[in-house]
Amino acid sequence: SGRGQSAAPAAAQKDGVIRIFRQRGGRNGKVVTVVHGLLPGAALVTLAAELKRLCGAGGTVKDGVLEIQGDHRERLAAHLRARGHTVKLAGG
C-alpha cells in the first residue's frame, strides 16, 4: 500500500519544504491528509495538536509524518504558510 511513498519523506526533510498529500488507499475508502517535512520530535507533537484543533479532526503522528483525518490540505497549507513555512500541495 505504500508504493512510491518511501522517497518523499527523506526528500522533504532535506529541502525544507513541507509537502501535503491526500491519501485514501489502505484506509477503507476514508481520506486522510498526510503532512511530510515537519520538525521532528516534541515540536512535531505540539504542532500536530495545534493543526488537529485547527481542522477539528483526529489524527496521529507516525514515523515523523502527520496524518489528519479528512481532506484539509488547503486549510493546513494556508496556516503553515502564515507561519513562514514553504508548503507544496503534492499528489491527488
Side-chain angles (χ1 to χ4, degrees), residues 17-22 33 71-78 81 87-92:
V17 176
I18 296 173
R19 287 178 171 80
I20 303 176
F21 299 85
R22 180 179 58 217
T33 304
D71 184 2
H72 302 285
R73 291 183 309 158
E74 296 294 335
R75 180 178 295 156
L76 292 173
R81 284 185 185 120
V87 179
K88 287 186 179 178
L89 297 180

Side-chain angles (χ1 to χ4, degrees), residues 61-80:
V61 175
K62 292 182 184 174
D63 300 323
V65 176
L66 171 62
E67 296 181 0
I68 298 181
Q69 297 168 354
D71 184 2
H72 302 285
R73 291 183 309 158
E74 296 294 335
R75 180 178 295 156
L76 292 173
H79 181 75
L80 291 169

Side-chain angles (χ1 to χ4, degrees), residues 4 8-9 13 15 22 30 36 38-39 48 56-57 60 68-69 73 77 84 88:
Q13 290 171 357
D15 66 7
R22 180 179 58 217
K30 295 184 179 173
H36 291 283
L38 294 171
L39 300 171
T60 187
I68 298 181
Q69 297 168 354
R73 291 183 309 158
K88 287 186 179 178

